[in-house]
Amino acid sequence: MKRTILPILFFALCSFGSWAQSLSKEDFVQDLEFLKKTLPEKHTNLFAKIDRAQFENKVDQILMRSNSLDWDRFIAELFKLTVSIGDEHTFIEVDFTKTLPIQFEVFKEGLFVTGIDSAHSSLLNSKLESINGHPVSEVVTRFKEIILHENPSYFNDHLVHHLNNPVLLKGLGLIDDVSKAIFVFSTNKEQTTKISLASVAGNNAAKLPLVRSGQSLLSKKKAGNYWFEYSADKKILYFNYSQCREMPNYPFAKFNDELFASINEHKPEKIVLDLRYNSGGNSGILEPFTEQIKQSYLNQKNKFFVLIGKTTFSSAVMNAVDLKRNLNITLIGQPSAGLINGYGEVLSLIHI
């Protein structure tokens, strides 16, 4: 048997291929025993919020039920186990092969459709009422079993990321068949519409060619981990930083040189650094920018603005904190998904 279990940010990340859906009880047992033994050894502080006896008891409880667990339930149980550890960076990541062609966003009024297949484009911006007969309130309650929810931003971000995942929906008992799900929506006219969506190949609905809301926003204008645009009429330089990772064919150092060349040429009155959609990576990538902007005329009140949001996480949070502490920025946005006292380095463990 071959397995791959990788701790991400000193924690557990389990990756299974499509073949994993045929795992036997013996496979489940071996994976769990490996996790039970190895995670405490490799985790930098596994028992900060759960003691060893509680952790081992939770693993043993899953082992006792292994005869009745199919692959979907097993994955859900692993998610629940890591939630009990209480760290935002302790999570299970699976190589899922199917997704539902729909995306949601959380607003104070509820969950709304922000992306959907073209056949159901009329339901864009409609409100979700139920999934397979389960009301939204019950759906959210079930997902709290597999997603940490002490930080509302973290929970909401992960909820909308997983809500179109048929394996997790089935593992939580919300649907019976990973090939489809039945959704009920309400519109502004207070009418309801019921549809059946079939799963499609893929592991991320964000990469599907869906009809989407908000495509005209500046933040959606370009792709890439980092890019900038100068607005001559507003005299503002906008810097979109969506991933703390080097781009293979466009090193950050080169990008940074081009960005400051634009600053020197156009002399913008303000600069906006957008971290709202940055889920992290390597916090050190931004250092050349930080060091250079520190010496710039833009490093003063009402000239340097940093945007954060509910998907700002991990190293992006570290960058925002560093900028707030050391530069004259104005921080704008929503509470982030990440805590300022979390772990931020990557350690990989391969079990073969």
Side-chain angles (χ1 to χ4, degrees), residues 39 64 111 118 120 122 125 132 161 169 171 183 210 215 238 241 262 268 279 351:
L39 189 55
M64 290 172 60
L111 282 156
S118 58
H120 300 96
S122 62
N125 301 321
N132 273 47
H161 179 71
L169 290 171
F183 295 89
L210 305 180
Q215 289 303 294
Y238 172 79
Y241 190 43
S262 180
S279 60
H351 176 215

Side-chain angles (χ1 to χ4, degrees), residues 31 143 164 187:
D31 275 348
F143 270 94
N164 48 31
T187 66

